[in-house]
Every structure is written in C-alpha cells, then in structure tokens.
Amino acid sequence: MAKDDPEQTVTRAHLQQMITFRVSRLHARLNAQANRILKESSDLSLMQWRVFVTLETMGKITPSEIIRQTNLDKGQLSRAIKSMLDRGLISSETCESDQRAHYIDFTPKGLEHFNRARPHMRARQERLMGSLTPDEQRELFNALQKLDAVVDEMDGKE
Amino acid sequence: MAKDDPEQTVTRAHLQQMITFRVSRLHARLNAQANRILKESSDLSLMQWRVFVTLETMGKITPSEIIRQTNLDKGQLSRAIKSMLDRGLISSETCESDQRAHYIDFTPKGLEHFNRARPHMRARQERLMGSLTPDEQRELFNALQKLDAVVDEMDGKE
DNA sequence: ACTTTTTAGTTGACGCGTCAACTAGTCTTG
DNA sequence: CAAGACTAGTTGACGCGTCAACTAAAAAGT
C-alpha cells in the first residue's frame, strides 16, 4: 500500500469491494498458478490432479461418486477420465452390481505422476495457508462457507 | 450406494480444505449467478457490467486505464468494448494527446441498461455481504488480500 | 534525428467450464 | 413384469478466459 496514491485507493474501491470480483480475480490467479505447477512437475491438468486427490482420499471410486463429493461437472469429469485412461494414468473396472458405472483407480504410472506433483502442490498449499494465521484461516473458510450457503438460498434452493 | 455417513465429512475434507478448490467452486457459482441476473435484468455480460461499474466510478476513461485498475484481460476487454460500441452502449472518443488511445463513456442507452441492472446487482451484493457480520467481512477481505499478496510473491514478483 | 523500448489496442488460437441432449442401465410401483 | 422415473456416463455446442503475436503510436536513449 506504500505507493498507492489517494486516487487509486478511491477508484479501486468500487470494483474491489465486490466479492464476486475479488473472488474471480483470486480464482484466476490461483488457477493459473496451479496449472503451471502441475504442468511443470507432472504434466497433469488441474482436473486430473483433482481426480487423483479424490482417488487418494476415497480409494477406488466411480465418477458419479466423485461428482457427489466435489460438485465437479459431469462432462468435464468424463472427459478428464477418458484422457487419463488413454494415457494409462488410471485403470477402469466395470462395476458388477451396476453395469452403467465403473470404478476407477490409480495405475502405477498414474501414482507416479501424482507423487511427482504432490510435494509441489503441498508446498504451495502450505505457503498459501501459511500467509494466514490459524484464526484467519478459520475465518476465511467460515466466510467461504457462509457465502456458499447464501448462494444456495438465493439460487432457489430455499 | 453410499449415503450420508460420518465418513463423508472426512472424505470431503481433503479437497474442500484446499483453498484453490473452494475459491474455484465459489467463483463458479457467483459467476453463474451474476450472469443470470444480468441477462435477465439488462442483457449485459458480466464483462460489460464491469466496464460500466468502472465507468461509473472513474468517468470517461481509456481501456488501458481500466486494465490498470482492474487487471482485466486486454483482449477480453477490447472485445467487450467493441461489442458495446456496436450495440451503442458506450461512446468512443479518440484521445488527442495520444492517437493510440480512446476514451469511452456511457451513452444514454448504456446508462439505461446499467440502471436496469443496478438495483438487482446491488441487492445481490447486499445479500451476499449481509450473510457476514462486519467482522467477518473484514476478515474475508483481509484474507483475500493476503492470498493475493502471497500469490504475487510466489509468482516471481519477489 | 534515429533507433530502441515501451505502451495502446486488436486479433487469432485454443483450452476450459457450462449446459443440455442423449443412450443405456437400474429402480419403483402399479 | 411392464411403464415411467431416475441415475451413470458420454457427447456436442458454445462462450469465456488466457495467452501470444501483431500493428501502430509514443517515449526514451544515444
């Protein structure tokens, strides 16, 4: 804030005060950063990374279950999985109890990619969160959650 | 198959704890909401709305100045302005001191569109922020700013 | 004055996110 | 067990955001 002249502080105020705008800008930057790190470290897309994170936490899983857990887009996920199968990053096993569904899981190759990305992604996560005190972290997540909730309300789920 | 059990709380934790993911999801929802409201109320895109907000706060202004203030994308802004000119929502006046630049400003028609959107957008903004106490609001903006700053650091501007 | 560097703005390419339509398998309920 | 409703997953269309290349004008360096 050192070099900001008074004009800027005023003029910036309006748009900068709108959370949609702030969130949008932050999103763009975080996104770009994550993509860059993933590309450099492991040749994964952010989507693919997220599939892996989900696999890691939940183990062998079906796409629809991933969607339930993450709210990712159906189509987007479907394509990501397809490309991961093509590249041999995950394996697919059709579910016997439901012929529509299939379980996906790490392949050794996929795990290797994931493990190459992991330290970088973890370091990033820690650096990001490290810029906030535990209190600030709680407040941030709290606020994000409340905003999520109010969007729910507004978008008809009331 | 899996329904609500305590496990879910745990399994959700991993991805949900990552701010990039949280921010990304919230961004998507806020974005969709804003676009819907704008479309319904005034047939403006979010980008066009943002141009108007900037015009309102800063008055007649050049695109490059908008970029300086908002960090919007050059190309995106250029196209938005073009479409707004085509639709007669803004006027353009070439800058005499710099032949490359041009000032843009509201036309009556543009102002009308803006004014139609405004109450809805304001109501939304207030409802969003209204879900947070003043303290929480401060904490949220504080956290967003710190995250912005740490991304700056990480992305080489150090 | 003239060459180089910076800045304003435009354009094209391309991938991602979003939405809706669609197929196919499964569940429900009479 | 048949008809409709629901769920899993795929595909296509399309707009938006992102990045880089490009033109043209202005500033800065020599």
Side-chain angles (χ1 to χ4, degrees):
Chain A
M1 345 203 157
K3 56 189 172 183
D4 284 353
D5 64 24
E7 293 287 335
Q8 274 198 349
T9 313
V10 176
T11 55
R12 291 205 167 183
H14 281 244
L15 257 189
Q16 304 281 342
Q17 266 173 16
M18 306 194 172
I19 11 97
T20 297
F21 183 70
R22 292 304 288 296
V23 169
S24 172
R25 285 228 299 78
L26 182 58
H27 156 74
R29 302 191 64 189
L30 288 175
N31 225 34
Q33 192 188 47
N35 274 308
R36 208 197 59 232
I37 292 175
L38 286 170
K39 187 171 182 187
E40 287 171 3
S41 66
S42 60
D43 194 27
L44 293 173
S45 73
L46 187 46
M47 192 67 206
Q48 295 173 334
W49 165 257
R50 281 172 178 158
V51 169
F52 277 150
V53 171
T54 311
L55 276 178
E56 186 197 24
T57 27
M58 313 209 29
K60 200 171 71 171
I61 192 178
T62 64
S64 68
E65 188 57 26
I66 293 182
I67 283 161
R68 236 167 267 127
Q69 298 293 329
T70 60
N71 286 116
L72 292 173
D73 180 78
K74 257 179 151 192
Q76 216 184 334
L77 181 61
S78 172
R79 283 181 241 264
I81 287 176
K82 189 178 172 209
S83 81
M84 291 171 89
L85 283 170
D86 288 350
R87 286 179 59 194
L89 299 177
I90 54 175
S91 63
S92 170
E93 164 197 349
T94 36
C95 173
E96 42 188 67
S97 70
D98 185 342
Q99 290 306 113
R100 296 166 302 177
H102 60 280
Y103 286 100
I104 58 171
D105 203 352
F106 283 106
T107 57
K109 183 178 174 189
L111 190 57
E112 188 211 309
H113 277 253
F114 183 52
N115 282 332
R116 267 194 281 134
R118 194 136 57 151
H120 298 94
M121 289 303 272
R122 176 165 318 190
R124 175 178 103 110
Q125 180 72 10
E126 270 160 22
R127 182 140 180 215
L128 288 172
M129 291 317 272
S131 72
L132 305 174
T133 67
D135 256 23
E136 288 172 330
Q137 293 181 22
R138 271 193 310 92
E139 285 288 346
L140 173 60
F141 279 83
N142 171 53
L144 292 179
Q145 196 210 312
K146 286 198 175 182
L147 287 174
D148 246 355
V150 74
V151 174
D152 270 348
E153 273 179 42
M154 293 168 82
D155 284 2
K157 312 194 179 177
E158 43 196 349
Chain B
M1 6 192 94
K3 44 181 188 171
D4 281 311
D5 54 15
E7 291 294 328
Q8 270 200 351
T9 314
V10 177
T11 54
R12 290 204 168 186
H14 282 244
L15 257 189
Q16 304 280 342
Q17 266 173 15
M18 306 194 173
I19 11 97
T20 297
F21 183 71
R22 291 305 289 294
V23 169
S24 171
R25 285 227 301 80
L26 181 59
H27 156 74
R29 304 192 63 189
L30 289 175
N31 224 34
Q33 192 188 47
N35 273 309
R36 208 198 58 233
I37 293 174
L38 285 170
K39 187 171 181 188
E40 287 170 2
S41 66
S42 60
D43 193 28
L44 293 173
S45 72
L46 187 47
M47 191 68 206
Q48 294 172 335
W49 166 257
R50 281 173 177 157
V51 169
F52 278 150
V53 171
T54 311
L55 275 178
E56 186 196 24
T57 28
M58 312 209 29
K60 200 171 71 170
I61 192 179
T62 64
S64 67
E65 187 59 24
I66 293 182
I67 282 161
R68 233 168 269 127
Q69 298 294 330
T70 61
N71 286 115
L72 292 173
D73 180 78
K74 256 179 153 194
Q76 216 183 335
L77 179 62
S78 172
R79 281 181 241 264
I81 287 176
K82 190 179 172 209
S83 81
M84 292 171 88
L85 282 171
D86 288 351
R87 287 180 58 194
L89 299 177
I90 54 175
S91 63
S92 170
E93 163 198 350
T94 36
C95 173
E96 43 189 67
S97 70
D98 185 340
Q99 291 306 113
R100 297 166 302 176
H102 60 279
Y103 285 100
I104 59 171
D105 203 351
F106 283 105
T107 57
K109 182 177 174 189
L111 190 57
E112 189 211 308
H113 278 253
F114 183 53
N115 283 333
R116 268 195 281 134
R118 195 137 57 152
H120 299 93
M121 291 302 272
R122 175 166 317 190
R124 175 178 103 110
Q125 179 72 10
E126 271 160 21
R127 182 141 180 212
L128 288 173
M129 292 315 273
S131 71
L132 305 175
T133 67
D135 256 23
E136 288 173 331
Q137 293 181 21
R138 272 194 308 95
E139 284 288 345
L140 173 60
F141 278 82
N142 171 53
L144 292 179
Q145 197 212 312
K146 286 199 174 181
L147 287 174
D148 246 355
V150 74
V151 174
D152 269 348
E153 274 180 41
M154 293 169 83
D155 284 1
K157 312 193 179 176
E158 43 196 348

